[in-house]
Amino acid sequence: MSDDFVLDVSRIRDEARRKMAAGPVTDAYGLDKDRVIGILNDVIATEVVCWLRYTRHAISASGIDRAQVSAEFTEHAAEEMQHALRAAERVSQLGGDPDFDPASLARRAHTDYTTPPDNDLKAMLEHNLLAERIVIASYQEIIRWLGPHDPTTRRLMESILEQEEDHADDLVDLIGV
């Protein structure tokens, strides 16, 4: 096995100086940066819609199990908003503008905003579980597409995916399936 790795630091330094305005995106990036930004903006929309749905469900839930279910929804809502903010930060790092436009959030989101009756905790749990399953499948596809070409965005999406899987697991426990 030969070790043919050569690091041309002089070339890297010269190129870095010439392309300072590109920020963290180098020629080795490997993907269409604008496409990645568009996908991340859809992730932002998805996470904001999930935050809105969980928040609404946490506030409006009623019934004997309200305290436990509402607390779980509140926790998930906070994590969904953090996901949106983390994706927005990555969009900004890539030189794009995070899209929080309320007029297009629902259209761009992978999930729906649902409002089951306030006394139907099971429906709320099921709607949120369905949304989590959609998000899990969507994010898995995004991660596969990113592959080795953008490890920073891939790791971001993998860490968000991990929390989404935890959310789904929590919801399954609450539903009792």
Side-chain angles (χ1 to χ4, degrees):
M1 175 179 250
S2 72
D3 182 2
D4 59 353
F5 178 74
V6 176
L7 186 62
D8 186 349
V9 176
S10 294
R11 179 192 54 79
I12 292 171
R13 287 178 181 163
D14 290 342
E15 187 174 309
R17 282 186 193 94
R18 280 194 316 275
K19 298 184 178 181
M20 296 275 287
V25 180
T26 66
D27 289 343
Y29 181 65
L31 289 173
D32 177 349
K33 182 181 69 152
D34 293 332
R35 179 77 175 119
V36 174
I37 290 168
I39 289 168
L40 286 172
N41 272 320
D42 290 350
V43 168
I44 292 168
T46 300
E47 295 296 331
V48 170
V49 167
C50 288
W51 171 75
L52 290 168
R53 186 184 55 256
Y54 272 124
T55 300
R56 197 254 186 217
H57 292 178
I59 292 168
S60 64
S62 65
I64 193 164
D65 295 320
R66 180 207 184 280
Q68 180 183 12
V69 172
S70 181
E72 197 67 39
F73 288 165
T74 299
E75 179 184 322
H76 289 194
E79 291 171 350
E80 303 294 359
M81 184 48 66
Q82 284 304 307
H83 298 166
L85 294 174
R86 290 172 63 207
E89 284 293 329
R90 184 61 181 153
V91 166
S92 184
Q93 286 174 351
L94 291 171
D97 295 317
D99 188 351
F100 286 94
D101 182 0
S104 67
L105 284 174
R107 178 177 37 80
R108 293 182 296 116
H110 302 172
T111 61
D112 295 326
Y113 177 84
T114 60
T115 55
D118 295 351
N119 64 348
D120 195 345
L121 294 180
K122 185 172 185 194
M124 289 180 189
L125 289 163
E126 289 172 346
H127 285 228
N128 284 301
L129 177 57
L130 175 62
E132 294 294 356
R133 290 181 51 78
I134 291 167
V135 166
I136 289 166
S138 297
Y139 292 2
Q140 287 171 336
E141 288 189 25
I142 291 168
I143 290 163
R144 277 191 289 278
W145 177 75
L146 290 167
H149 308 292
D150 182 347
T152 303
T153 303
R154 187 188 68 240
R155 283 191 309 270
L156 166 69
M157 293 303 302
E158 288 170 344
S159 70
I160 292 172
L161 174 62
E162 181 180 2
Q163 280 195 311
E164 302 296 4
E165 290 173 343
D166 286 342
H167 293 175
D169 190 50
D170 293 342
L171 294 168
V172 165
D173 288 345
L174 287 168
I175 292 170
V177 216

